[in-house]
Amino acid sequence: MDAFLTSLFALLIAEIGDRPQILCAALAIRYGRVTPIIWGLGLATLLNCLISALGGSVVNQWISEEPLRLFYALSLLFAGFGMVLWRRPVDLLEKWTLGPFWTAFLGLFILQFGDKGQFILAATAARTDAWAFAVAGGWVGVMLACVPALLLQEKLAEMLPIKSIRYIGGGIFLMIGTAMVLSAWGIV
C-alpha cells in the first residue's frame, strides 16, 4: 500500500500545472469532446506507468537498499528542480489530424515518456516488490491531476493557484530529496 500512496501523491503533485495537464485542457477545447481524450490519457498513462514500474522492478533486483534510496532521492530532486526552475512550452499538436483519442493517446504517451513522473514512479517501484501498486498509484495520481483539466479546461487555472502549487510541491520534493541524499550518504 505504501507504493500505491507514494506514487499517487507524488505524481498528483508533479502533474499539477505540468505539460500533460495543459495538453489535456487544450485537446478538450480543440475537440469539444472529453470522453475519447480521457480514454487516450488513461491508456497512455497506464503504458507509461507500466514501463516505469517494470524498469524500477528490474533495478530493484540489481542494487541494494542505499543506492535505491539515492535513486529515489535523485528522482525527487530532479522533479523538484523541474517544478520550481523551468517549464518547457507545450506543443498543442495542432497539426495532428488523428482524431481526439489517437491524438491524446500518442501525444500524451510521448509527452509523459521520460518525464519527471516516470522517474519518480520507476524509483518508487524500485524500492518495493509491489510494483503493481506503484503502477496503480501513479495512474490514479496522473488521472486525478489531468481529468479536472479536461473537464474544467481554462477554468482550472482560475480555480487553483497552480504556480503556488508547483513552487510548494517542488520545494517539498527538494526538501525530501535532499534529506534522503544526506541520509543515503550517511551525513544525517
Side-chain angles (χ1 to χ4, degrees):
M1 197 63 171
D2 179 48
F4 176 82
L5 292 174
T6 301
S7 298
L8 187 152
F9 289 115
L11 268 65
L12 173 62
I13 291 168
E15 294 300 326
I16 298 290
D18 202 25
R19 296 176 315 142
Q21 193 182 46
I22 293 167
L23 181 58
C24 283
L27 292 175
I29 292 168
R30 174 178 161 190
Y31 288 109
R33 299 183 350 227
V34 296
T35 303
I37 299 168
I38 290 174
W39 282 102
L41 167 68
L43 185 57
T45 301
L46 180 61
L47 288 175
N48 269 310
C49 288
L50 280 169
I51 291 167
S52 302
L54 288 173
S57 71
V58 169
V59 169
N60 176 305
Q61 298 169 10
W62 290 347
I63 58 178
S64 64
E65 185 62 32
E66 289 305 313
L68 286 175
R69 187 180 315 173
L70 187 59
F71 176 44
Y72 189 73
L74 290 175
S75 75
L76 293 178
L77 287 172
F78 290 138
F81 282 124
M83 291 176 75
V84 299
L85 294 181
W86 69 86
R87 182 157 74 181
R88 294 177 295 194
V90 180
D91 180 0
L92 300 179
L93 312 178
E94 295 167 331
K95 296 179 182 177
W96 290 30
T97 59
L98 299 171
F101 171 79
W102 288 108
T103 300
F105 170 68
L106 293 172
L108 288 163
F109 180 80
I110 293 166
L111 189 61
Q112 292 175 346
F113 199 81
D115 197 26
K116 65 183 165 294
Q118 199 169 37
F119 285 101
I120 291 172
L121 188 60
T124 303
R127 297 180 65 211
T128 180
D129 292 329
W131 62 268
F133 284 105
V135 170
W139 185 82
V140 170
V142 172
M143 295 302 286
L144 285 174
C146 291
V147 169
L150 282 164
L151 300 175
L152 299 172
Q153 297 150 15
E154 67 271 350
K155 292 176 190 161
L156 183 67
E158 297 169 8
M159 295 172 62
L160 290 178
I162 290 176
K163 194 172 189 178
S164 296
I165 291 171
R166 288 187 60 79
Y167 285 142
I168 292 168
I172 290 169
F173 284 158
L174 289 170
M175 285 189 299
I176 293 170
T178 301
M180 290 181 78
V181 165
L182 295 174
S183 173
W185 285 343
I187 297 172
V188 176

